Amino acid sequence: MTELNATDTVTPLQTYDEAVDWINGLIPFGIRPGLERIESLMVQLGNPHQRLKFIHVAGTNGKGSTCAFLTSVLLQAGYDVGTFTSPYITKFTNRFQYNGEDIPEEILLKLSNRLRPLVVEMASTPMGSPTMFEVSTALALLYYAEECYPDIVVWETGLGGRMDVTNIVTPVVSVITNIGMDHTDVLGDTIEKIAYEKAGIIKPGVPVVTCVSQPEAVKVIQERAQQLRTTVYLAGDQFSYRRLKSNKEGQSLQFAGPFRDMQLHIRMQGVYQCDNAAAAFMALEVLRQYMAFMLDEDDIKLGFKNAFWAGRFEQISDNPLIVLDGAHNPEGAESLAKSIIDVYPQKKLILMMGMLANKHHEAYLQHILPLVDTLILTEPDFRRKMAAPELLQVVEQVRTAIAKRELEIIVEPDWAKALDLLKSRTEAEDLGVVSGTLYLIADVRAALLHQTDSEKGW
């Protein structure tokens, strides 16, 4: 009797919702670092990734914003651009964009049906089933190589770099935004170990741009680049930038680089966005200088000015004044605190936060809690959430040393009720901030913008 092949037994998915449910159904396979499954899928699909140009972006924070700057400028300059990012804020299709538009639902369905038999077949082998992120990555590569043919793909790392599935590509330039203490259970518990994982995206002869500042992390990146005989463009060394001014409309910075200097204005708020903008500009300069990309000064300036990334120090409401920021690790909290002081000084701060359970949040609170007048602890609508009472215990451990004496703490596990509390407590002269995991930010943003079709996820 002939054994049935997996491709003969898999019933085709009929709708977009079925396709998304199938991909999300792979989430229980977790995060499994390694490239063997994605490499096998690519071989079976004819190696579509080898027909594309990529800018590969890694880093602890700022990856999404850096991708937004790169995409905006390249689009303004007339290039067709693919942008692959995660997590998404509104809809599953957000992660696969072409020229600023989401992948059409019917194309996602078609490509899911192309991948599904291969995934089912692999699940029966010793390699095991590909994960949700591996399938999403494969789908993105098929989309760009066989459906829309961008001139370049802005390609965000999922987790780490060296063993991340996005590392299957060989880019034309790599970017490492920064290094911080996040995902230490997977990437290691020191700056050097995390830098080693991020530096894994560096390829032979492919220049790398970075705003990494810690000497021990810089050393790791420079040594890796030296081994692979490529050039590092390091902030403070090969290029520099200084912040000029900021106001409610945005901020400006002066960039000085090896090829030209330029003043840029960005509308994205937050001191840290100047770092991201500078890294993006240096990467674009490498493309212009060595890859013959045509990037006129006017297009660059307009591209940076128009760039936007949801949920990153985003003012979402005027009355009451509410800002959303997906800071979820110590470095993100430090940047958020600096930005609050810079953009909204002297305002009473009402902070609503919700976190995942897989993090150590004491260091996060060290940065943000000293500014807070009223703290609303809630829970994201997500399976790995940290219970609000548990988060309260963490706050109580650190509050005596760092918090305002009159700090008010409210525990409301239901995020929608917590949001109502935030709105009612934020008076005319106050600032309301929602921070923490992007799973919370996604729901709050959808509620405040009345988006009824919002999805969310990693």
Side-chain angles (χ1 to χ4, degrees), residues 23 28 86 89 137 166 180 209 212 214-215 267-268 314 337 399 417 429:
I23 297 171
S86 62
I89 292 287
T137 302
T166 63
V209 174
V212 167
Q214 304 96 323
R267 67 168 168 148
M268 284 199 270
E314 177 189 7
R399 69 173 292 183
K417 291 179 181 176
E429 296 304 312

Side-chain angles (χ1 to χ4, degrees), residues 122-143:
M122 190 178 292
S124 66
T125 72
M127 280 191 288
S129 175
T131 66
M132 182 278 286
F133 191 66
E134 287 169 341
V135 171
S136 297
T137 302
L139 196 151
L141 293 168
L142 277 179
Y143 179 50

Side-chain angles (χ1 to χ4, degrees), residues 67 70-76 78-83 97-101 144 148-154:
C67 289
L70 291 165
T71 298
S72 182
V73 173
L74 289 163
L75 284 176
Q76 183 63 41
Y79 289 95
D80 290 325
V81 185
T83 311
Q97 293 203 336
Y98 174 68
N99 289 348
E101 299 290 332
Y144 297 131
C148 55
Y149 317 107
D151 298 310
I152 193 156
V153 180
V154 178

Side-chain angles (χ1 to χ4, degrees), residues 48-67:
H49 61 298
Q50 295 178 0
R51 304 196 291 274
L52 296 162
K53 290 188 178 77
F54 297 88
I55 305 173
H56 200 180
V57 181
T60 300
N61 295 308
K63 296 188 293 294
S65 299
T66 302
C67 289

Side-chain angles (χ1 to χ4, degrees), residues 334-362:
E334 182 179 16
S335 296
L336 172 59
K338 287 179 180 176
S339 299
I340 290 170
I341 293 167
D342 179 65
V343 183
Y344 302 104
Q346 274 84 53
K347 284 191 177 292
K348 182 181 172 185
L349 177 60
I350 297 89
L351 176 70
M352 168 180 162
M353 65 180 286
M355 292 292 196
L356 297 188
N358 64 338
K359 310 270 178 140
H360 303 291
H361 302 303
E362 292 87 348

